Amino acid sequence: MPRTTRRRNPRARAEKGIVTIPARKGIAVLVKKGQKVKVVNTHGYQIVDTWAFNSRDLSECMSMEHSRVAINKLVPKPGDSMVTNKRRPILKMIEDTTPGVHDTLVASCDRYRYKQLGAKGFHDSCTDNLWNAMRAIGRKPNETPCPFNLFQNTPFVPGKGIAFKRAVSKRGQYVLFRAEMDCIVCFSACPMDILPVNSGAPTEAHFQILN
Amino acid sequence: MEGTVPVGSIETIPARRGKAAFMRKGQAVKVINTHGHQVVDTWAFNANDPSEYMSMQHSHVAIDRVTPKVGDSMVTNRRRPILTFLEDTTPGVHDTLIAACDRYRFELLGCPGHHDNCTDNMWAATAALGVKPPDCPPPLNLFMNTPFTPGKGFAWLPPVSKPGDHVLLRAEMDLVICLSACPQDVMPINDKRPTEAQFEII
C-alpha cells in the first residue's frame, strides 16, 4: 500500500464508511467517546491485533493485565468493558457475532519473533505496524502494550501450553465496540504466515466507525 | 556502584515498599517469602536500556505456560532470556496475568486517601537507582495465589508458600531487579497481613 494513502486523515475516511486494514499492515484512527467501531473479519480466519490509547495522553492505554481483573475473565464478552492502565473503561464490547474466541495473553508478533521462527530478512509484524500506524497520524506511544488479539485462537490449556490454532471467526463476522473515552484505536491485520493462526494466508480486514 | 547490593547479604524489602538492585549477568537473586504469606511483585529491566524489560506476554509464548517452573527463562519484550528459574521451594504458585496494584485499584476498592501500591513502589525503587522505565510492565507476581477458572474468574487467595520459602532467579543479562512487597490489605492475597520479604544476590 502506498505510504501516501496511509498518511491521509483516517478519521475523515472512516466516517464516510468502511476502512480497509490492509493485509499485513496497520492503521490508527481517532474514535470519539460514544462512537462505535465495528471490526470486520472480512475474509474470515484473520487476526486483528488491537490497541487503544487515550487520545489526550497516550501513556494511558488499554491494558490486558488490568482488564482481566476488571472483567474477571481472560477474554471479554459483550457487555464487558476493557480498561486502561488507570483502570478506566476505554472500549466496551457491545456485540460479537464470532464464536467469541479472542486472546489477551500473547504479545503481538515482532521482528524478534520472526527471527526466532526462521524468517529470512524483513518480515512485517504487528508491533512495527502499531508504531508505523501511530507515526502516520503523528502520534508516538510510550511502549507497545499487550494487544487485544481479536479473532486469535490460541487457547491456553493447563499442563499443555498455548495452542496456536487457526482462527475460527468466519467471513463477515465482526466485533462492535463503543469508545468510553476519546481514543486512538490501532488495528493490525496480523502478518503471521509461519504459524497457522491466520489460516496461513494473511488477508485484509475492515473497520467502520458508527455514530 | 550505587544500588549494588553486596553479594551474599540478606536485604529486606520493607513491608508495603519496593526495592531495586543492579545484577550482573550470571548472578542469581534469591527472593525469600520470609513470613510465607507475602506476594512479591517482580520486574526486571535491561541495565543498559530499560526500554527492554521482562514481559509476561512475551514470556507466555517463550515458556509455553502462564506459570513458570524451574528451568524456564522469562524473556524480555525483545524475546531475549532475562531471568531463569533455578529453584522454587514453594508449591510453584505464582501469577503472570494480573497487573500490579496501583492507586486506581485502591480507589476502586474504596480506600480513602493514599494507599501504598506496587506500581508506585516500582517507580520509586527504580528512580532511587536513577533508572527510568518507559512504563510499568505487567509484573511477575511471585507467590501470588490468584488461580483463574474459566466460567468463574479469578480467586483471590492467600499464598500457599511457607515461611522461608524462596525462588532463585538467575540474571541472563546485566539487569535491574525490582521487588515490591505487595501492600494489598483489602483483598486477602497477602492474608491481609502485608509483611516484609527478603532477597539475596548470589
Side-chain angles (χ1 to χ4, degrees), chain A residues 52 61-68 82-85 90 145-146, chain B residues 99:
Chain A
C61 59
M62 178 165 71
S63 163
M64 297 306 109
E65 59 271 20
H66 293 80
S67 294
R68 290 179 203 121
M82 303 302 275
V83 302
T84 67
N85 49 349
I90 183 163
C146 186

Side-chain angles (χ1 to χ4, degrees), chain A residues 184-201:
Chain A
I184 307 284
V185 179
C186 181
F187 301 110
S188 168
C190 178
M192 175 58 77
D193 50 10
I194 301 174
L195 298 171
V197 289
N198 291 311
S199 194

Side-chain angles (χ1 to χ4, degrees), chain A residues 54-82:
Chain A
N54 176 343
S55 66
R56 290 179 182 81
D57 172 10
L58 299 189
S59 74
E60 182 174 9
C61 59
M62 178 165 71
S63 163
M64 297 306 109
E65 59 271 20
H66 293 80
S67 294
R68 290 179 203 121
V69 176
I71 67 178
N72 202 22
K73 299 183 184 89
L74 300 186
V75 178
K77 293 189 184 330
D80 286 334
S81 288
M82 303 302 275

